[in-house]
Amino acid sequence: MGKADDVMDICLLAGEIMLKYGAETYRVEETLERIAKAATFKNVHCFATTTGIFLSFEETKEKEDLMQMVRIDDRMQDLNKVTEVNQVSREFVAGELTVKEAHEKLTAISQAPMQFPLWVIHLAAGFAGSGFSYLFGGSWFDLLPAFLAAIVSSLVLVELERHLKVRFAAEFAAAFCGGTTAIGLVYFGLGANLDQIIIGSLMPLVPGVPLTNAVRDLMSGDLLAGVTRGAEALLTSLAIASGIALTISIFL
Amino acid sequence: MQLTIELIITFIATVAFGIIFSVPKRALLIGGAIGMVTWGILQGGLHFEVSPVVSTAIASLSAATTSHFLAKRIRIPVTALAIPGILPLVPGSRAYFTMLSFVEGDYLTGLEFGVQTMLQAGAIASGLVFALAIFSFGKGIGHRYEPNR
């Protein structure tokens, strides 16, 4: 009796972490089914969408089925946690971990802080922004303003999401502030190509994880999850575009 | 010389993007290298006057194939490599000019840029899909008929 509940717990915990931090749907379903099968349960079925997971399996032969679901509200991007859960499930399936050890490891993963501290992420956003502003046709003088503008947009994005918890509004505000910073810097004589600097300041906001996952989900037959992820990516891009459109029509 | 500078900048920018997406540490530099190769292939295609959409598709295919291959080797999810790998192809510049033209009321130019953006995004997706098709022979879901029954 106890074992089935424990296995259900680790399955749903693993699935919740993976889906929350940006794994593809097929990976979540496959991992959960593998864990449950490795724990010698039969008739395992898993259905995952972008916002929830259903899992059911037979506890004893032909009676007492177990079925649970979890709802996932947050969707963040931390591919490191996905990799770690993947590793735990691989070890569990290979029989190197007991149910209890797996549960401890998964709890540790879900409570672990981010792999990189926030200031490193902001700095990385700056480097990414200035790099792409150069690649999209900017000059050497555009590197510094694009760096600053990208850091501003990354800062606004993270801080707004932390306090307001409104989806898409954070991207909108971040694009607006990044664009305004870029226009201001160029106005005061720092940097030459305004367009490239603005593009650079927007690059850290690109919804890379939902976009790639949408393609992947659609191709592996998870039509529901694929379409919803695609809609999420589209809405994020629209929020960014309208934010930058607002700043351009006001200040330019 | 110009290309060398661009490749180095792509490497730095791609690694920085890896940090933004919190890619595992052992995959950071590999992702950067894939991004660098992707940019090199894209620029090579443009240099030999292949159309931008086709060059993007080829670059995306090579990036996705390399990431599938390497992800199996070092045992991490493919996304952790594929996302930094295809990022240099993102049509950020065209998307921006689409929006700029619409804001300025120049709808025809906006539509032109918009179509280019969509095509380039589609090219990236098609590259991902082809690589996926190569690496999922024998698994995945069937379609229409059941010839093996």
Side-chain angles (χ1 to χ4, degrees):
Chain A
M1 174 63 208
K3 193 191 170 196
D5 277 342
D6 289 345
V7 172
M8 183 60 96
D9 275 354
I10 64 164
C11 282
L12 289 183
L13 186 56
E16 191 179 348
I17 300 173
M18 291 181 100
L19 209 52
K20 186 169 166 185
Y21 291 104
E24 313 96 305
T25 312
Y26 96 97
R27 185 182 302 282
V28 175
E29 290 180 351
E30 204 176 279
T31 309
L32 264 53
E33 284 178 7
R34 273 195 195 157
I35 294 180
K37 276 178 187 156
T40 66
F41 289 106
K42 295 280 186 315
N43 207 1
V44 183
H45 290 286
C46 178
F47 173 63
T49 70
T50 321
T51 48
I53 306 171
F54 301 80
L55 178 68
S56 74
F57 50 71
E58 251 173 33
E59 191 177 344
T60 41
K61 185 74 186 149
E62 310 234 317
K63 52 178 182 178
E64 294 188 55
D65 288 359
L66 214 55
M67 153 116 203
Q68 277 189 26
M69 65 106 31
V70 278
R71 156 90 205 189
I72 285 107
D73 290 314
D74 299 320
R75 284 185 298 286
M76 310 173 191
Q77 44 189 33
D78 191 336
L79 297 174
N80 187 44
K81 290 197 172 181
V82 177
T83 315
E84 280 175 1
V85 174
N86 218 24
Q87 187 63 32
V88 170
S89 98
R90 196 173 281 136
E91 284 171 15
F92 182 80
V93 170
E96 294 163 14
L97 289 178
T98 62
V99 175
K100 197 164 168 247
E101 283 168 347
H103 193 271
E104 278 163 10
K105 278 202 167 187
L106 288 172
T107 321
I109 293 173
S110 85
Q111 287 168 352
M114 287 182 296
Q115 183 185 210
F116 301 104
L118 262 183
W119 64 270
V120 176
I121 290 181
H122 291 318
L123 211 60
F127 277 112
S130 60
F132 275 102
S133 81
Y134 183 84
L135 290 179
F136 284 135
S139 66
W140 291 107
F141 303 108
D142 302 331
L143 287 184
L144 184 63
F147 184 80
L148 295 175
I151 285 186
V152 167
S153 59
S154 169
L155 266 173
V156 172
L157 180 75
V158 172
E159 292 306 317
L160 261 186
E161 268 185 347
R162 183 190 309 192
H163 295 299
L164 282 184
K165 294 190 190 297
V166 185
R167 286 200 73 76
F168 309 120
E171 273 95 356
F172 177 82
F176 180 77
C177 295
T180 312
T181 315
I183 293 175
L185 286 173
V186 173
Y187 182 77
F188 289 113
L190 200 58
N193 303 312
L194 178 60
D195 296 335
Q196 274 72 21
I197 297 172
I198 293 181
I199 297 166
S201 77
L202 297 183
M203 280 308 278
L205 308 176
V206 169
V209 176
L211 262 179
T212 352
N213 282 347
V215 174
R216 178 71 229 234
D217 284 346
L218 282 176
M219 283 310 128
S220 52
D222 299 311
L223 299 177
L224 192 59
V227 170
T228 46
R229 269 193 220 274
E232 186 187 6
L234 194 69
L235 279 177
T236 313
S237 328
L238 279 181
I240 298 171
S242 44
I244 205 72
L246 186 64
T247 182
I248 284 177
S249 34
I250 292 178
F251 295 110
L252 213 59
Chain B
M1 188 58 209
Q2 177 65 23
L3 188 65
T4 324
I5 296 171
E6 281 182 5
L7 286 180
I8 293 169
I9 288 184
T10 317
F11 183 78
I12 295 171
T14 318
V15 170
F17 253 112
I19 294 175
I20 294 178
F21 292 131
S22 192
V23 166
K25 279 179 187 137
R26 60 203 159 108
L28 266 182
L29 293 182
I30 304 174
I34 295 176
M36 203 165 80
V37 174
T38 310
W39 182 260
I41 292 175
L42 177 68
Q43 292 304 313
L46 294 179
H47 180 74
F48 289 110
E49 293 180 352
V50 183
S51 81
V53 175
V54 178
S55 318
T56 308
I58 296 171
S60 160
L61 175 62
S62 70
T65 322
T66 338
S67 14
H68 270 277
F69 185 71
L70 288 176
K72 283 224 174 91
R73 277 288 184 80
I74 60 172
R75 303 192 149 214
I76 59 171
V78 192
T79 24
L81 288 180
I83 293 177
I86 58 161
L87 260 168
L89 303 173
V90 170
S93 165
R94 284 176 210 286
Y96 170 75
F97 283 116
T98 309
M99 206 267 319
L100 189 66
S101 318
F102 279 126
V103 170
E104 285 171 351
D106 193 353
Y107 295 113
L108 269 182
T109 325
L111 278 181
E112 198 182 318
F113 275 121
V115 170
Q116 283 178 1
T117 313
M118 297 298 290
L119 280 179
Q120 206 163 340
I124 300 176
S126 74
L128 284 176
V129 168
F130 273 125
L132 192 64
I134 296 172
F135 279 87
S136 54
F137 265 122
K139 13 180 199 176
I141 50 163
H143 201 54
R144 294 196 190 188
Y145 304 116
E146 295 178 299
N148 299 329
R149 179 161 284 187

